[in-house]
Every structure is written in structure tokens, then in C-alpha cells.
Short mmCIF file of all heavy atoms in Angstrom, two decimals:
data_model
loop_
_atom_site.label_atom_id
_atom_site.label_comp_id
_atom_site.label_asym_id
_atom_site.label_seq_id
_atom_site.Cartn_x
_atom_site.Cartn_y
_atom_site.Cartn_z
N ILE A 20 -16.91 14.92 8.08
CA ILE A 20 -16.35 16.25 7.80
C ILE A 20 -14.96 16.38 8.43
O ILE A 20 -14.02 16.88 7.81
CB ILE A 20 -17.28 17.35 8.33
CG1 ILE A 20 -18.59 17.35 7.53
CG2 ILE A 20 -16.60 18.71 8.24
CD1 ILE A 20 -19.64 18.28 8.08
N MET A 21 -14.84 15.91 9.67
CA MET A 21 -13.57 16.01 10.38
C MET A 21 -12.49 15.18 9.71
O MET A 21 -11.35 15.63 9.53
CB MET A 21 -13.75 15.55 11.84
CG MET A 21 -12.51 15.69 12.70
SD MET A 21 -12.82 15.14 14.38
CE MET A 21 -14.03 16.35 14.90
N VAL A 22 -12.83 13.95 9.33
CA VAL A 22 -11.86 13.08 8.66
C VAL A 22 -11.46 13.65 7.31
O VAL A 22 -10.30 13.64 6.93
CB VAL A 22 -12.44 11.65 8.49
CG1 VAL A 22 -11.54 10.81 7.59
CG2 VAL A 22 -12.59 10.97 9.84
N GLY A 23 -12.45 14.20 6.58
CA GLY A 23 -12.15 14.81 5.29
C GLY A 23 -11.21 15.99 5.43
O GLY A 23 -10.26 16.15 4.63
N ASP A 24 -11.42 16.81 6.44
CA ASP A 24 -10.55 17.96 6.67
C ASP A 24 -9.16 17.54 7.12
O ASP A 24 -8.17 18.19 6.79
CB ASP A 24 -11.18 18.86 7.74
CG ASP A 24 -10.32 20.08 8.04
OD1 ASP A 24 -10.17 20.93 7.15
OD2 ASP A 24 -9.78 20.16 9.17
N SER A 25 -9.09 16.41 7.86
CA SER A 25 -7.80 15.97 8.38
C SER A 25 -6.87 15.46 7.29
O SER A 25 -5.65 15.41 7.47
CB SER A 25 -8.00 14.87 9.43
OG SER A 25 -8.55 13.70 8.84
N ILE A 26 -7.44 15.09 6.14
CA ILE A 26 -6.60 14.62 5.03
C ILE A 26 -5.68 15.74 4.56
O ILE A 26 -4.50 15.53 4.26
CB ILE A 26 -7.47 14.12 3.86
CG1 ILE A 26 -8.26 12.87 4.30
CG2 ILE A 26 -6.62 13.80 2.65
CD1 ILE A 26 -9.22 12.36 3.25
N SER A 27 -6.22 16.96 4.52
CA SER A 27 -5.42 18.10 4.06
C SER A 27 -4.51 18.65 5.15
O SER A 27 -3.48 19.24 4.87
CB SER A 27 -6.35 19.22 3.56
OG SER A 27 -7.23 19.64 4.58
N THR A 28 -4.89 18.46 6.43
CA THR A 28 -4.08 19.00 7.52
C THR A 28 -3.06 18.01 8.05
O THR A 28 -2.23 18.36 8.90
CB THR A 28 -4.99 19.45 8.69
OG1 THR A 28 -5.75 18.31 9.15
CG2 THR A 28 -5.93 20.55 8.25
N GLY A 29 -3.11 16.78 7.58
CA GLY A 29 -2.11 15.79 7.99
C GLY A 29 -2.40 15.11 9.31
O GLY A 29 -1.51 14.48 9.88
N SER A 30 -3.63 15.20 9.80
CA SER A 30 -3.96 14.57 11.08
C SER A 30 -4.93 13.40 10.92
O SER A 30 -5.61 13.00 11.86
CB SER A 30 -4.57 15.61 12.04
OG SER A 30 -5.73 16.20 11.47
N LEU A 31 -4.99 12.85 9.72
CA LEU A 31 -5.91 11.74 9.44
C LEU A 31 -5.62 10.55 10.33
O LEU A 31 -6.54 9.95 10.90
CB LEU A 31 -5.81 11.34 7.97
CG LEU A 31 -6.66 10.12 7.55
CD1 LEU A 31 -8.14 10.41 7.75
CD2 LEU A 31 -6.39 9.76 6.09
N PHE A 32 -4.35 10.21 10.49
CA PHE A 32 -3.98 9.03 11.30
C PHE A 32 -4.50 9.18 12.73
O PHE A 32 -5.09 8.26 13.29
CB PHE A 32 -2.47 8.86 11.30
CG PHE A 32 -1.99 7.77 12.21
CD1 PHE A 32 -2.20 6.44 11.90
CD2 PHE A 32 -1.33 8.08 13.41
CE1 PHE A 32 -1.76 5.43 12.76
CE2 PHE A 32 -0.90 7.09 14.26
CZ PHE A 32 -1.11 5.75 13.94
N GLY A 33 -4.28 10.36 13.32
CA GLY A 33 -4.72 10.59 14.69
C GLY A 33 -6.22 10.49 14.84
O GLY A 33 -6.73 9.93 15.82
N ASN A 34 -6.98 11.02 13.86
CA ASN A 34 -8.44 10.96 13.92
C ASN A 34 -8.96 9.52 13.79
O ASN A 34 -9.90 9.13 14.47
CB ASN A 34 -9.04 11.83 12.82
CG ASN A 34 -8.90 13.31 13.11
OD1 ASN A 34 -8.73 13.71 14.26
ND2 ASN A 34 -8.94 14.13 12.08
N LEU A 35 -8.33 8.76 12.91
CA LEU A 35 -8.75 7.37 12.73
C LEU A 35 -8.44 6.53 13.97
O LEU A 35 -9.25 5.68 14.37
CB LEU A 35 -8.06 6.77 11.50
CG LEU A 35 -8.49 7.34 10.15
CD1 LEU A 35 -7.69 6.70 9.02
CD2 LEU A 35 -9.98 7.15 9.91
N VAL A 36 -7.28 6.79 14.58
CA VAL A 36 -6.93 6.07 15.81
C VAL A 36 -7.90 6.44 16.93
O VAL A 36 -8.32 5.59 17.71
CB VAL A 36 -5.47 6.39 16.23
CG1 VAL A 36 -5.19 5.84 17.63
CG2 VAL A 36 -4.49 5.81 15.23
N ALA A 37 -8.28 7.72 16.99
CA ALA A 37 -9.21 8.19 18.02
C ALA A 37 -10.55 7.47 17.93
O ALA A 37 -11.24 7.29 18.94
CB ALA A 37 -9.40 9.70 17.91
N LEU A 38 -10.94 7.06 16.72
CA LEU A 38 -12.21 6.35 16.55
C LEU A 38 -12.23 5.03 17.32
O LEU A 38 -13.30 4.53 17.68
CB LEU A 38 -12.47 6.08 15.06
CG LEU A 38 -13.19 7.16 14.27
CD1 LEU A 38 -13.23 6.79 12.80
CD2 LEU A 38 -14.61 7.36 14.80
N ALA A 39 -11.05 4.48 17.57
CA ALA A 39 -10.98 3.21 18.30
C ALA A 39 -11.44 3.38 19.74
O ALA A 39 -11.89 2.41 20.38
CB ALA A 39 -9.55 2.66 18.27
N ILE A 40 -11.35 4.60 20.27
CA ILE A 40 -11.72 4.83 21.68
C ILE A 40 -13.22 4.61 21.91
O ILE A 40 -13.60 3.78 22.74
CB ILE A 40 -11.29 6.24 22.12
CG1 ILE A 40 -9.79 6.42 21.92
CG2 ILE A 40 -11.67 6.47 23.59
CD1 ILE A 40 -9.30 7.84 22.19
N PRO A 41 -14.11 5.33 21.20
CA PRO A 41 -15.54 5.11 21.43
C PRO A 41 -16.02 3.73 20.97
O PRO A 41 -16.93 3.16 21.57
CB PRO A 41 -16.21 6.22 20.62
CG PRO A 41 -15.23 6.57 19.56
CD PRO A 41 -13.89 6.41 20.21
N ILE A 42 -15.39 3.20 19.92
CA ILE A 42 -15.81 1.88 19.42
C ILE A 42 -15.50 0.80 20.45
O ILE A 42 -16.34 -0.05 20.77
CB ILE A 42 -15.13 1.56 18.08
CG1 ILE A 42 -15.68 2.48 16.98
CG2 ILE A 42 -15.33 0.10 17.69
CD1 ILE A 42 -14.98 2.34 15.64
N ASN A 43 -14.28 0.82 20.99
CA ASN A 43 -13.90 -0.18 21.99
C ASN A 43 -14.69 0.00 23.28
O ASN A 43 -15.03 -0.99 23.94
CB ASN A 43 -12.40 -0.10 22.28
CG ASN A 43 -11.57 -0.79 21.22
OD1 ASN A 43 -11.61 -2.00 21.06
ND2 ASN A 43 -10.80 -0.01 20.48
N PHE A 44 -15.00 1.25 23.63
CA PHE A 44 -15.81 1.48 24.82
C PHE A 44 -17.20 0.89 24.63
O PHE A 44 -17.76 0.29 25.56
CB PHE A 44 -15.91 2.98 25.11
CG PHE A 44 -16.77 3.30 26.30
CD1 PHE A 44 -16.30 3.12 27.59
CD2 PHE A 44 -18.08 3.76 26.13
CE1 PHE A 44 -17.10 3.39 28.69
CE2 PHE A 44 -18.88 4.04 27.22
CZ PHE A 44 -18.39 3.85 28.51
N ALA A 45 -17.77 1.06 23.44
CA ALA A 45 -19.10 0.52 23.16
C ALA A 45 -19.09 -1.01 23.24
O ALA A 45 -20.02 -1.62 23.78
CB ALA A 45 -19.57 0.97 21.78
N ILE A 46 -18.02 -1.63 22.73
CA ILE A 46 -17.90 -3.09 22.83
C ILE A 46 -17.80 -3.52 24.28
O ILE A 46 -18.40 -4.51 24.71
CB ILE A 46 -16.66 -3.57 22.04
CG1 ILE A 46 -16.82 -3.28 20.55
CG2 ILE A 46 -16.43 -5.07 22.26
CD1 ILE A 46 -15.59 -3.57 19.72
N TYR A 47 -17.04 -2.74 25.06
CA TYR A 47 -16.88 -3.02 26.50
C TYR A 47 -18.24 -2.97 27.21
O TYR A 47 -18.54 -3.84 28.03
CB TYR A 47 -15.92 -1.99 27.09
CG TYR A 47 -15.81 -2.00 28.59
CD1 TYR A 47 -15.24 -3.07 29.26
CD2 TYR A 47 -16.28 -0.92 29.35
CE1 TYR A 47 -15.13 -3.09 30.64
CE2 TYR A 47 -16.19 -0.93 30.72
CZ TYR A 47 -15.60 -2.01 31.37
OH TYR A 47 -15.51 -2.01 32.74
N VAL A 48 -19.04 -1.97 26.89
CA VAL A 48 -20.37 -1.85 27.51
C VAL A 48 -21.26 -3.03 27.11
O VAL A 48 -22.04 -3.54 27.92
CB VAL A 48 -21.04 -0.52 27.13
CG1 VAL A 48 -22.49 -0.48 27.61
CG2 VAL A 48 -20.27 0.65 27.73
N MET A 49 -21.14 -3.49 25.85
CA MET A 49 -21.92 -4.65 25.42
C MET A 49 -21.55 -5.89 26.23
O MET A 49 -22.42 -6.69 26.59
CB MET A 49 -21.67 -4.93 23.92
CG MET A 49 -22.18 -3.86 22.96
SD MET A 49 -23.95 -3.55 23.07
CE MET A 49 -23.95 -1.96 23.94
N ILE A 50 -20.26 -6.03 26.53
CA ILE A 50 -19.80 -7.16 27.34
C ILE A 50 -20.38 -7.05 28.75
O ILE A 50 -20.81 -8.06 29.33
CB ILE A 50 -18.26 -7.19 27.39
CG1 ILE A 50 -17.68 -7.46 25.99
CG2 ILE A 50 -17.77 -8.27 28.36
CD1 ILE A 50 -16.18 -7.35 25.91
N ILE A 51 -20.41 -5.83 29.29
CA ILE A 51 -20.98 -5.63 30.63
C ILE A 51 -22.46 -5.96 30.64
O ILE A 51 -22.96 -6.65 31.54
CB ILE A 51 -20.77 -4.17 31.09
CG1 ILE A 51 -19.29 -3.89 31.33
CG2 ILE A 51 -21.58 -3.89 32.36
CD1 ILE A 51 -19.01 -2.46 31.72
N ARG A 52 -23.19 -5.47 29.62
CA ARG A 52 -24.63 -5.72 29.54
C ARG A 52 -24.93 -7.21 29.41
O ARG A 52 -25.92 -7.71 29.96
CB ARG A 52 -25.22 -4.95 28.35
CG ARG A 52 -25.24 -3.44 28.52
CD ARG A 52 -26.30 -3.01 29.53
NE ARG A 52 -27.62 -3.46 29.14
CZ ARG A 52 -28.40 -2.81 28.27
NH1 ARG A 52 -27.98 -1.68 27.71
NH2 ARG A 52 -29.59 -3.28 27.96
N LYS A 53 -24.08 -7.91 28.69
CA LYS A 53 -24.29 -9.33 28.47
C LYS A 53 -23.98 -10.14 29.72
O LYS A 53 -24.44 -11.28 29.88
CB LYS A 53 -23.41 -9.82 27.31
CG LYS A 53 -23.91 -11.09 26.64
CD LYS A 53 -25.22 -10.86 25.90
CE LYS A 53 -25.67 -12.10 25.15
NZ LYS A 53 -26.95 -11.90 24.43
N ASN A 54 -23.20 -9.57 30.61
CA ASN A 54 -22.82 -10.25 31.86
C ASN A 54 -23.21 -9.38 33.05
O ASN A 54 -22.41 -9.13 33.95
CB ASN A 54 -21.31 -10.52 31.87
CG ASN A 54 -20.86 -11.41 30.73
OD1 ASN A 54 -20.91 -12.64 30.81
ND2 ASN A 54 -20.42 -10.79 29.65
N SER A 55 -24.46 -8.94 33.04
CA SER A 55 -24.94 -7.99 34.05
C SER A 55 -24.93 -8.55 35.47
O SER A 55 -24.96 -7.78 36.44
CB SER A 55 -26.36 -7.53 33.69
OG SER A 55 -27.23 -8.65 33.58
#
């Protein structure tokens, strides 16, 4: 819903870039778990 709304408000780029934050954090936690 947020991404769909951002297309009309012109903030799509910022929302898509923001997705990299939780995704990379999740990958980071996987690395920690694998090397506990």
C-alpha cells in the first residue's frame, strides 16, 4: 500500500531504498546466527 501510494507522491525511490535497511539487517543477523 505504501509503495503504491508513493508512486503518485513521488517518494517511490526513497521507499524502495528504505527496504534495503531491514533486508540487510536480516542478512546480518543470519550471518551472526551462523557464526554464533
Side-chain angles (χ1 to χ4, degrees):
I20 293 173
M21 184 180 295
V22 170
D24 180 67
S25 66
I26 295 176
S27 59
T28 59
S30 58
L31 176 62
F32 174 72
N34 288 338
L35 292 178
V36 170
L38 272 174
I40 303 173
I42 291 175
N43 280 293
F44 178 77
I46 296 173
Y47 171 68
V48 172
M49 294 301 106
I50 295 173
I51 292 177
R52 290 288 302 277
K53 203 67 176 180
N54 300 275
S55 57

